[in-house]
Amino acid sequence: MVEKRTVDNALPKIIKESIIEDIMSGKIVAGDKLVEAEYSQLFGTSRAPVREAFYLLTIEGIVKKIPRKGTIVKGFSREEMSDILKIRNFLEQLAIDKLTLKARENCTHEMSEIILEMEKKEIEIREYAQLNYEFHFQLILASGSETFRNIYSRLGSPLISLQTFSLRGEDDVVKNSLREHKEFVNYLSLGEIEKAKSILNSHNEAVFPRIEGSLKD
């Protein structure tokens, strides 16, 4: 019988993404044990949301549950982080090539709506990173490829955490990100596909260099 998961998804998701960020920044390393009680105290919650977060991390292959040892971190190497971002860019570039005129119109409309949310004052970096993922995901949805969608969805949590990590620091990073999103939507709406692909490529490739120097060895 399939286990019913009744915990509200909001807090487990926040806990999960916080753990992923710590893994990617090197605060938590491969082989470390995650302790429910510690995260319960840290987030001021019962163990149920923490247990749910650990479950989600297990499904996504970020941690593993070992009998008599507990929940152990598998971690991400620099190369794996770089690969995640390269796969993302590759899928998005392929998705653009699959867009019909109607799909392109729908996609740019949805992206423009997301940009309005991104431009709101006092938006938190984590929220911006989530919107950023949704913005890029519109390309995948518009492509109509279930294969692209399944692969991209599995990259969701690492991508959001990488984006959150990369946006911290200088205010210009978010401003430049917004500007590039708008340029991309403009080129795509005008049917200038090669220009759209070029701005998307440079936009995506800029993420890893922004975080690489902050990663712990």
Side-chain angles (χ1 to χ4, degrees):
M1 183 176 179
V2 178
E3 179 184 359
K4 291 184 178 180
R5 316 207 65 78
T6 57
V7 179
D8 177 31
N9 192 46
L11 184 54
K13 186 176 179 182
I14 291 171
I15 297 170
K16 178 192 73 171
E17 290 177 358
S18 175
I19 292 171
I20 293 174
E21 279 184 54
D22 285 346
I23 293 171
M24 290 184 165
S25 67
K27 292 179 182 177
I28 301 174
V29 299
D32 281 355
K33 180 180 178 180
L34 301 182
V35 180
E36 286 183 11
E38 292 178 2
Y39 284 96
S40 177
Q41 182 177 7
L42 179 63
F43 286 90
T45 183
S46 67
R47 293 195 182 190
V50 177
R51 196 171 298 121
E52 177 74 3
F54 286 9
Y55 170 80
L56 295 172
L57 288 166
T58 303
I59 288 178
E60 294 179 17
I62 297 168
V63 303
K64 53 187 175 182
K65 196 165 186 178
I66 301 176
R68 296 184 296 279
K69 288 188 177 181
T71 303
I72 307 299
V73 173
K74 293 174 69 176
F76 294 94
S77 67
R78 289 171 184 257
E79 184 177 4
E80 286 170 331
M81 290 185 224
S82 177
D83 286 346
I84 287 169
L85 293 169
K86 287 176 182 176
I87 292 169
R88 166 220 197 174
N89 191 38
F90 182 64
L91 286 173
E92 291 176 8
Q93 296 287 338
L94 288 177
I96 292 176
D97 290 333
K98 293 177 72 69
L99 297 182
T100 63
L101 176 59
K102 183 64 175 177
R104 198 170 73 230
E105 290 174 350
N106 291 337
C107 182
T108 53
H109 173 75
E110 293 298 326
M111 286 178 161
S112 296
E113 291 296 311
I114 294 171
I115 286 174
L116 292 177
E117 292 295 314
M118 288 174 151
E119 289 180 315
K120 288 184 177 179
K121 292 182 179 180
E122 307 302 327
I123 188 170
E124 295 182 357
I125 292 298
R126 185 185 290 276
E127 184 181 356
Y128 183 93
Q130 177 66 51
L131 288 169
N132 181 81
Y133 174 79
E134 292 174 10
F135 177 94
H136 287 261
F137 194 45
Q138 296 308 311
L139 276 176
I140 305 302
L141 294 176
S143 74
S145 171
E146 193 66 25
T147 301
F148 288 3
R149 181 174 181 169
N150 289 337
I151 296 172
Y152 202 93
S153 295
R154 292 197 64 178
L155 299 176
S157 294
L159 280 176
I160 292 169
S161 293
L162 282 168
Q163 194 69 51
T164 302
F165 195 26
S166 74
L167 290 168
R168 286 179 174 157
E170 301 176 10
D171 292 338
D172 286 346
V173 175
V174 173
K175 291 179 182 178
N176 288 336
S177 173
L178 266 172
R179 175 181 54 78
E180 290 167 353
H181 282 132
K182 292 177 181 179
E183 289 178 3
F184 174 75
V185 170
N186 182 53
Y187 285 136
L188 195 61
S189 64
L190 293 173
E192 298 187 37
I193 304 303
E194 292 308 313
K195 288 184 178 179
K197 292 177 76 171
S198 178
I199 191 75
L200 179 67
N201 184 67
S202 60
H203 173 79
N204 285 340
E205 287 190 342
V207 176
F208 191 69
R210 286 203 301 267
I211 68 174
E212 189 172 21
S214 300
L215 297 174
K216 294 183 179 181
D217 295 326

